[in-house]
Amino acid sequence: MRVEIWADVVCGWAHIGKRRLEKALASWEGEPVEVVWRPYQIDPSAPARAVPMADLLRDPMADEALRACAPGLSPMENRARVAEVAAAEGLGEQWGSGWRAGTLEAHRLIALAYERGGAELQDRVVERVLRAHFVDVQDISDLAVLTAIATEAGLAEEAGYTGEPSLETLPGAELVRELLLVGKAKGVRTSPTIVANGLALEGAQPPEALREFLEDAARHTPRHLPAEVERLRYAESLLDQRDPLGALTLLRPLMEEHGGDRGVRLLAARAYFASAQLNRARTALESLVSESPDDSYARHLLGRTLQRQGRHEEAASHLTLAAVMTPDYATG
C-alpha cells in the first residue's frame, strides 16, 4: 500500500508527523507500506534568498498571517508550543526553524531522490532536510546546504549541483511543479496531509490515529483510472478552482499525445478562455464547432469568446444557435 505524505519541509508539524507515522508503522502487521513524500508549500511567497525568522516575527504583516495559523496564540507562543510537542516526540530540545526559506529546491531534491532510488533513499533525504532546517538551523534554500545533503545521499551529480544551477534548469523542477498542481487538484490544503487508497487524513495525528487510518485505508479499494483520465480530471479540478494556467500545465502532455481527443481539446479551450488566451480559445472552438455543429456548449463558448474579442455580429449567430439548442444558454 502506498502512503503519500503531502507536506512542506519548513512545516514543523510535517517533522512531527514523520516521527508519529514511523511509530505507527513500527508495529504495523498489515500489508507492506511504501511511504512517498509529495510537495506542498505553506509559504509560496517565501523569498528566493532566505531571511532570518527573527526578522519575520518583527514584521507586522507576517505577524498577522502567522496568528491566523494558530488563533489565540502569538507566533512566539505557537512556536514554543510546537517545539514542546517536537521535544516530546524525540526530535530534540533545541528544535525550531531559524529561517524563512523557499522550499522549491528542497522539494526538487526530495522528488528526484524518489525517482532515482525509491522510497528508502527519499526517506533519508527527507530526514536530512528536516534535520537541517529544524535541528541544525540551516538555510535549506542555500544550494551549499542542499549540495551537502545530495552528496551524502549519493545524488549530487544526478541532482545537477555543478556550475551555477538554478531551479529552471535542474532536473526534477518540472516534476515538482506538476506535483504541486496535482496536490492542489486533489484538494490538499494543509501540511501534512496523508493520502492512502483514496482516503486522506490531515495533520500530524497521534500514532494511534494513524494506525486506525492505515487500517481503514487497507480495507478500502479505490477505483483505479487510467493515468490519462486521472490527469484530465486533475486539470478539470484546477479549472474549477480558477487556476486555468495550472490546468493547461497538466493538459500539456495530453495535448501532445492525444491532441485529437475531443474532451482534451474542449477542456483546453475552456482553459484558454478562462486565462484570456482568446485567439487560442477561438481557434480550438471553431474547430470543435466545425466538427460537431450540434455541440451547443462549444458553440456557446465560441460566441462568448468572440464577444470578448469585440466581434459581436459573429458572436450573435453562435449564441443564438446555442440558445435554441439549449435554452438555458439564453440567459447564460
Side-chain angles (χ1 to χ4, degrees), residues 237-266:
S237 174
L238 290 176
L239 195 53
D240 290 342
Q241 296 180 55
R242 299 184 179 181
D243 184 0
L245 295 179
L248 286 168
T249 297
L250 293 188
L251 279 174
R252 190 176 300 122
L254 296 180
M255 294 165 68
E256 293 173 354
E257 298 174 20
H258 307 281
D261 183 88
R262 188 172 183 83
V264 172
R265 292 160 61 200
L266 182 57

Side-chain angles (χ1 to χ4, degrees), residues 212-240:
E212 289 181 10
F213 170 75
L214 293 174
E215 291 167 359
D216 289 342
R219 290 191 294 265
H220 189 253
T221 304
R223 181 186 177 190
H224 290 289
L225 299 173
E228 294 85 357
V229 175
E230 200 167 57
R231 180 178 281 268
L232 189 68
R233 290 194 173 182
Y234 291 153
E236 287 177 329
S237 174
L238 290 176
L239 195 53
D240 290 342

